[in-house]
Amino acid sequence: ERGELLSPLSSLAVSIPHPHPTTHRPVAIVHRAGSLLSPAAGLAICAGNVLTSMRLTDVILRAFRAQAASQGCMNNFTFGNEHFGYYETIAGGCGAGPGWHGTSGVQCHMTNTRITDVEVLERRFPVAVCSFSLRRGSGGAGEWRGGDGVVREVEILADGVTATLLTERRVLRPFGMRGGRAGAAGRNTLSRAASGDVLGLGGKNRVRCGKGDVIKIETPGGGGWGALLPGVVDEEDTAGVWADAASSTDASRSTGERRAQAGGALPSRLRGTPSVALSMPGGEGVEF
């Protein structure tokens, strides 16, 4: 419910003194029984705060035509074994809006966590952070650019470590608005030290890691707002390099076709199947 309440207030184009009587009136939240937001009792559910709330906020902001899509998830990354466990959420790009560029390398909409300092992480766990930087050009182009995502590479320094990824926007790109371009989709890969293979992990996966394996997480960029002026070239617009092949703007394509094309966009040594953000009972992916 946090996303449902935040979005309408964030969408208002005027400044309201706080506290104000109108901001404290009850808001009725109506869900269709059995839907994604009101699942039947007994079903296994997870990631309501870290994934569903983020996507829901983008949907509401889009309905109010207030802001392009942000990264759409918190990029959950965990690793551990029977002796230790570690969990972090990773930043991405925020969507642009009417009069502002999206912010790069931050958590958007919903979060209450800070990422662990590299020095602390490496001292306490058998890992090395190989890189942690902005993913330049991943924000969508436009009169107002979307924020860039980040790149985080973590090397595992012990055998028998299990890593888990729970992420979104690995196929469907964060949408732009009013002519702005979509941000880049995210990407998760695993480089095997023993074989040299680079494996595509999709959006959600659990893998057994060996010593020297490197997990690379590239988080999504935010969508752009407004079309570029005629004759203006945005030299940083590389958002489509990874995600163009996975775009689902053509509703006639099946989920399988989108997955196949997304995989085809990877270098020949990459393997794996990206995840689709939301699939209906008929198997067709839904873009939102």
Side-chain angles (χ1 to χ4, degrees), residues 70-156:
S70 296
Q71 66 163 332
C73 75
M74 293 187 190
N75 303 290
N76 303 271
F77 175 44
T78 68
F79 60 82
N81 56 25
E82 62 273 19
H83 303 296
F84 71 89
Y86 173 78
Y87 168 42
E88 69 181 19
T89 65
I90 305 173
C94 287
W100 72 85
H101 298 295
T103 304
S104 298
V106 296
Q107 288 289 6
C108 314
H109 303 321
M110 244 70 63
T111 184
N112 61 357
T113 62
R114 291 183 61 185
I115 202 164
T116 304
D117 293 337
V118 171
E119 296 84 355
V120 175
L121 177 62
E122 293 182 338
R123 173 181 284 271
R124 296 186 179 181
F125 301 100
V127 297
V129 178
C130 304
S131 68
F132 189 29
S133 62
L134 290 179
R135 188 185 178 195
R136 298 293 184 185
S138 57
E143 181 181 3
W144 303 97
R145 284 192 58 85
D148 288 335
V150 305
V151 178
R152 188 166 174 86
E153 291 183 281
V154 177
E155 181 180 357
I156 307 299

Side-chain angles (χ1 to χ4, degrees), residues 155-161 190-193 208-214:
E155 181 180 357
I156 307 299
L157 302 180
D159 289 321
V161 174
L190 171 65
S191 299
R192 291 291 193 190
R208 189 80 164 174
C209 299
K211 185 176 181 179
D213 290 352
V214 176

Side-chain angles (χ1 to χ4, degrees), residues 175-264:
F175 55 80
M177 292 197 70
R178 300 297 176 90
R181 291 282 301 275
R187 178 166 56 178
N188 305 320
T189 56
L190 171 65
S191 299
R192 291 291 193 190
S195 64
D197 290 338
V198 180
L199 310 176
L201 298 179
K204 301 166 183 65
N205 213 327
R206 183 176 67 177
V207 291
R208 189 80 164 174
C209 299
K211 185 176 181 179
D213 290 352
V214 176
I215 292 178
K216 182 177 183 179
I217 302 166
E218 300 170 80
T219 68
W225 179 283
L228 289 170
L229 296 176
V232 176
V233 177
D234 191 324
E235 296 181 352
E236 293 187 1
D237 180 24
T238 59
V241 171
W242 152 250
D244 275 345
S247 173
S248 61
T249 54
D250 180 0
S252 65
R253 287 183 293 159
S254 69
T255 298
E257 290 171 329
R258 280 199 298 276
R259 289 179 171 177
Q261 291 195 15

